[in-house]
Amino acid sequence: MNQSSADLGSGSIGKLLFRLAMPAIFAQLINALYNVVDRMYISRLPDIGQTALTGVGVTFPIIMLISAFSALVGMGGAPRAAIAMGEGNNDKAEKILGNCVTVLLSLSVLLTVFFLVFERPLLMMFGASEDTVVYATQYITIYLVGTVFVQIALGLNSFINTQGYAKTGMLTILIGACLNIVLDPIFMFALDMGVQGAALATILSQAVSAAWVLQFLFGKRSKLRIRAANLRLKKEYILPVLALGMAPFVMQATESLLNIVLNANLQAQGGDEAVGAMTIIASIMQFALMPVMGLTQGAQPIISYNYGAKQYHRCKRAFWLLLASSFSMAVVIWGSVMLFPQVFIGIFSDKAPVIAYTTWAIRIFMSAYFLMGAQIACQQTFMAVGRAKISLFLALLRKVVLLIPLVMILARPFGVTGIFTAEPIADTLATLTTCTVFAFSYKKMFPAAEPAQ
C-alpha cells in the first residue's frame, strides 16, 4: 500500500479533509474561470460586448451537457475505483480506469458530431435571438472541436483525486486556467479574433490540461495506471460505473435543461435584458457552488476508501466534518452575495442598468442558497458509498421534479419575478427532502459496530 492509500485508511480525518479539500476547492474555483474569464473579456468587447455576452450565455447548455458526460464516467468511475482500492483490489480499480478511458474517447466523437450537425437549431431553441445567435455560433463551433480535451481533462482528473493526489489534480485545472487567462486577451484583442478567440483559448487550455492528466496516469507516480490491456470494455466494470455516474450526469445535464427552460421563459417575459442577467447570475452561481463541491471532492476519497475497507467509524467522522464545513461555507458565500451583489456583478458588466437589474434578480434567485451546503454534503456522500439509485433520485428531484415545473408554472402569472423565485423554493424543498432521506439511510450505510482500533 502506498503512502496516499495508507493515509486514507488511518490518517487523521480532519487533516486529511483539509489536505485533500483545499486543493480541490482551489481547483474548482479555477475551473469556473474557464467560462467566466471568457465572459468577463467578452462583455468588454467594443460595441458588441453585452450582445456577445448574451450570445455566449446561450451556449451554456451545450457546454454543460459535454461536461455532464465527463461526469457520468469520471465521477461514476472514481468512487468505484476508490472502493476497490479500499478492498485491496487494485487490479479491479485499474480495469475500471481503463474502461472509463475507452468510454470517454467514444463519447468525444459522438458529442462533437451531434452538436456540430444540430448547432444552430439547438441554439435558437436554447434562447438565442437573431441578434445573439451569430456570437453563440462563433463560440460554440470552435469549442466543440475541443470536446475530446474536455472529456479527458475533466473525466480522468477524478481518478487522480480519488487516489489522494489532490495537489496533482489541482494542477490539472490550474495549468489550463492560467493558460486560458493569458491566451484570452491575446486572441480576442491583440489578434482581433473576438468571440472566436475566447473559444480557441479555452480549448487550447483544455488540451494542455488533458495532456497533463494523461502523462500522470501513464506514469509511475500513479497508483492506478492506464494500460492497453484494460481498455477493452467489460460490462462487469463499466455498467456499475455508469449506474453510479448517472447522478452527477443528471445533475449537470439537467443544469443544461434548466438553462434552456430559464432562457426560453426569460426571453419570452423579459427579452435579451433578462437573458443577459441570467448569464451573469449563472456565472456567479458557478463560483458559489465550486468551493462546496471542492469540499465534497476532498471528502470523497476518504469516505469511499474507508467504506470499501469497512471502517465505518471513519466514514461517519468524515461525513459530519464535511457537513459542518460545507454548510458554514455556503452561509458565508450566501451572505457575501446578498450584501455585496454589485461587487460580483461588476466583474461581468460596468453598465448601471445591467447592474441594477441583475442585483434585484440575484437577491431573489440565490435567497435560499445557504441551504445548499447541507444538500450537497448528503447527496455527495451517497455517491461516495456507491448508492446509485438514491443519488439519482436526489439529482432528479431538485431540478427536474421541482425547479423546471416551478419555472413554467410561475412564469405566466408572475413574469420574470416568478421565474427567479422558483429557484429558492426548489432549493428549500430539495434540501429538506435530501436531509430526511439521508437521516433514514444513515444507520444502514454506516453500521454502529466498529472495528478494533
Side-chain angles (χ1 to χ4, degrees):
M1 185 182 294
N2 69 353
Q3 184 61 43
S4 177
S5 298
D7 287 346
L8 291 174
S10 61
S12 164
I13 296 295
K15 290 179 180 178
L16 272 173
L17 183 59
F18 180 81
R19 178 166 65 84
L20 297 178
M22 291 310 293
I25 292 169
F26 188 55
Q28 285 288 327
L29 288 172
I30 292 188
N31 188 38
L33 288 176
Y34 269 113
N35 294 322
V36 172
V37 167
D38 285 348
R39 295 171 193 179
M40 289 166 57
Y41 282 120
I42 288 168
S43 68
R44 284 162 173 77
L45 286 169
D47 302 323
I48 64 167
Q50 201 58 43
T51 304
L53 177 64
T54 302
V56 172
V58 172
T59 69
F60 190 66
I62 294 177
I63 292 170
M64 285 303 298
L65 276 173
I66 292 171
S67 297
F69 278 99
S70 69
L72 170 68
V73 180
M75 295 182 71
R80 294 291 187 197
I83 291 171
M85 291 172 69
E87 293 168 344
N89 194 344
N90 277 26
D91 182 61
K92 178 182 177 181
E94 283 199 341
K95 285 182 168 63
I96 291 171
L97 170 60
N99 276 229
C100 288
V101 171
T102 300
V103 173
L104 286 168
L105 292 175
S106 302
L107 284 172
S108 299
V109 176
L110 294 173
L111 291 170
T112 301
V113 172
F114 175 81
F115 284 121
L116 284 174
V117 170
F118 297 103
E119 181 180 271
R120 184 180 173 88
L122 285 172
L123 291 171
M124 295 303 292
M125 185 176 71
F126 294 167
S129 65
E130 290 298 332
D131 291 333
T132 60
V133 72
V134 60
Y135 303 109
T137 303
Q138 288 176 358
Y139 187 88
I140 201 63
T141 300
I142 295 176
Y143 186 93
L144 288 172
V145 176
T147 298
V148 64
F149 306 133
V150 177
Q151 293 294 300
I152 294 299
L154 297 184
L156 294 185
N157 199 42
S158 300
F159 285 91
I160 297 177
N161 290 325
T162 206
Q163 297 176 64
Y165 295 113
K167 289 182 180 178
T168 305
M170 176 190 71
L171 286 173
T172 302
I173 309 300
L174 181 61
I175 291 168
C178 290
L179 184 60
N180 190 41
I181 293 169
V182 172
L183 292 179
D184 258 336
I186 295 173
F187 290 154
M188 292 177 67
F189 300 106
L191 298 180
D192 198 26
M193 294 180 66
V195 170
Q196 292 172 312
L200 182 59
T202 298
I203 66 164
L204 288 177
S205 302
Q206 290 281 18
V208 173
S209 292
W212 169 267
V213 170
L214 290 174
Q215 67 83 27
F216 183 85
L217 291 175
F218 274 109
K220 294 181 179 180
R221 282 187 60 209
S222 179
K223 183 68 175 176
L224 304 179
R225 297 173 66 182
I226 298 174
R227 303 179 194 275
N230 296 328
L231 296 178
R232 185 178 179 182
L233 291 179
K234 293 188 177 181
K235 63 181 181 180
E236 61 265 34
Y237 300 121
I238 198 61
L239 290 183
V241 166
L242 298 179
L244 185 58
M246 282 303 296
F249 172 78
V250 167
M251 287 175 66
Q252 293 197 30
T254 52
E255 188 70 31
S256 177
L257 177 61
L258 173 61
N259 258 263
I260 296 167
V261 173
L262 282 169
N263 285 344
N265 281 276
L266 288 169
Q267 184 66 244
Q269 299 292 332
D272 284 347
E273 181 183 37
V275 175
M278 190 64 237
T279 300
I280 294 172
I281 292 171
S283 301
I284 295 170
M285 193 70 167
Q286 266 189 297
F287 267 116
L289 287 171
M290 289 301 118
V292 180
M293 292 303 296
L295 270 172
T296 62
Q297 281 190 8
Q300 179 265 309
I302 305 169
I303 296 173
S304 296
Y305 183 93
N306 286 286
Y307 188 78
K310 294 182 170 53
Q311 296 196 83
Y312 302 123
H313 60 296
R314 291 177 61 78
C315 295
K316 292 178 184 178
R317 291 178 201 165
F319 165 72
W320 287 110
L321 186 55
L322 169 63
L323 179 64
S325 302
S326 57
F327 183 75
S328 299
M329 182 173 286
V331 169
V332 170
I333 294 170
W334 168 80
S336 301
V337 174
M338 291 297 105
L339 291 172
F340 312 107
Q342 298 91 341
V343 174
F344 299 94
I345 298 165
I347 296 172
F348 304 95
S349 179
D350 55 1
K351 293 180 173 58
V354 174
I355 293 174
Y357 188 96
T358 310
T359 296
W360 162 79
I362 200 170
R363 280 185 166 142
I364 298 173
F365 193 84
M366 291 186 64
S367 58
Y369 167 81
F370 65 94
L371 297 172
M372 293 299 290
Q375 199 264 350
I376 292 171
C378 293
Q379 183 174 343
Q380 292 300 310
T381 299
F382 279 128
M383 281 285 299
V385 301
R387 296 293 182 98
K389 292 181 180 178
I390 296 177
S391 298
L392 180 57
F393 163 73
L394 295 174
L396 286 167
L397 175 68
R398 177 175 164 264
K399 294 171 187 172
V400 177
V401 177
L402 294 172
L403 184 50
I404 290 175
L406 280 169
V407 168
M408 294 188 288
I409 291 168
L410 298 176
R412 182 163 293 182
F414 301 107
V416 173
T417 302
I419 295 170
F420 288 126
T421 304
E423 174 76 17
I425 297 174
D427 288 347
T428 302
L429 293 175
T431 300
L432 291 174
T433 304
T434 300
C435 292
T436 301
V437 171
F438 192 90
F440 279 104
S441 304
Y442 183 79
K443 289 184 179 179
K444 291 182 180 179
M445 284 193 299
F446 309 130
E450 299 182 359
Q453 298 185 43

